[in-house]
Amino acid sequence: MGKKKSNVPPEEHLLLPPHPARPNVQATPIVDTHTHLLSTFSFYRSKYKQGKYETVYDFVREMYKDRGVEAIVDVYCEAPVQTQWRELADSALSEKDRKTRWGGLEYWFVMGVHPHEAKEYNDEVEREILEAMAHPRCVGWGEIGLDYHYDNSPREKQQEVFIRQLEHAVRLGKPLTIHTREAEEDTERILKQYVPKDHRIHIHCYTDSPEWASRMLDHFPNLYIGITGVITYATNLNTSAVIRQMAATPQSPLRILLETDAPFMTPSNIYNSLKDVKGRLPLSHSAMIPWTAEFVADVANEAVAQSATWDVDQIMRTGRENARSMYGV
């Protein structure tokens, strides 16, 4: 039998063309507020075993070169804690290292334990997270929360670990990166009980109801809705509904953060710019954010059809400003 032909596009297609509506990448820099860099690089090496990038630094320098990626917030949410976090964080301490190793990228990170792994949370894991919180490149605690879709950990344990982490983050004044899926009632109850109203909160990869988003935005003035490439998927209507809801009130700013959740959630509209690609890209990365911004702009304009005031640049600038407000990056 002949060898089965791979349907994974050649790796050069990961090097994206400029977005057609973003001619000046320096004017609208990308800040990816939620990416899993080690997982992304691992995906890359598994899909391209002869790939040209041998280290995570090589991958970042070349993949984001001339793409206007200014900063990323890397997410560690495993239990036990990934030991590589310190190497990457330390390598971004000096401006010289950020230029030579990271190609000028500003590397930041958050850490917490995902609800999937709540059953693995213990005192030692907590001690390591608390140690990481003191690192100069750490900008938040997360991603943490509740996931009742998969229930990989018992719901009671998820809630217990969620509350335990919230209490530490609030005590330390650390911004929160929240994961919630099909758990609106309990997530809302716990956040309102344990988190001050003015605390900074990022509801990551939002897919829940627009009604819930409205309640949370009303209660927490420093809460932001995280938008990933999942907004472009036909199976997801909620995220677009949230954007329309916010855009319909023009006197209020769009309280959104742009993120990838890489290596997942490749924006489906990116293939409009990749006409020669056969198959689907096996991973997403931070340089894809302009295509998510394009979709957000189109959806926002549906709510203000008479003026059509949103474009890619405006969404990118809004996302960049909100990243600074949320994480200080």
Side-chain angles (χ1 to χ4, degrees), residues 33-36 73-79 109-118 121 129 133 140-147 161-162 165-166 175-181 202-205 259 261-262 264-265 327:
T33 58
H34 194 106
T35 182
H36 301 271
V73 178
D74 198 7
V75 180
Y76 298 92
C77 55
E78 299 79 17
F109 76 96
V110 299
M111 187 181 292
V113 171
H114 194 284
H116 286 347
E117 304 196 20
Y121 194 92
I129 296 173
M133 289 297 128
W141 194 306
E143 66 188 272
I144 62 176
L146 304 175
D147 192 310
V161 170
F162 186 26
Q165 293 183 91
L166 286 176
L176 292 165
T177 308
I178 302 298
H179 173 110
T180 180
R181 189 170 184 189
H202 172 186
I203 306 292
H204 143 70
C205 190
E259 51 168 300
D261 203 17
F264 314 107
M265 314 292 185
Y327 289 113

Side-chain angles (χ1 to χ4, degrees), residues 134-189:
H135 196 282
R137 305 307 286 185
C138 180
V139 293
W141 194 306
E143 66 188 272
I144 62 176
L146 304 175
D147 192 310
Y148 292 173
H149 179 78
Y150 289 107
D151 281 325
N152 287 358
S153 287
R155 293 185 180 185
E156 295 78 10
K157 189 65 175 177
Q158 289 188 49
Q159 293 183 33
E160 173 194 326
V161 170
F162 186 26
I163 292 168
R164 186 167 166 177
Q165 293 183 91
L166 286 176
E167 290 178 328
H168 279 299
V170 168
R171 175 177 59 82
L172 295 171
K174 286 290 188 180
L176 292 165
T177 308
I178 302 298
H179 173 110
T180 180
R181 189 170 184 189
E182 298 176 17
E184 290 184 358
E185 183 178 342
D186 284 339
T187 301
E188 180 175 358
R189 172 181 57 81

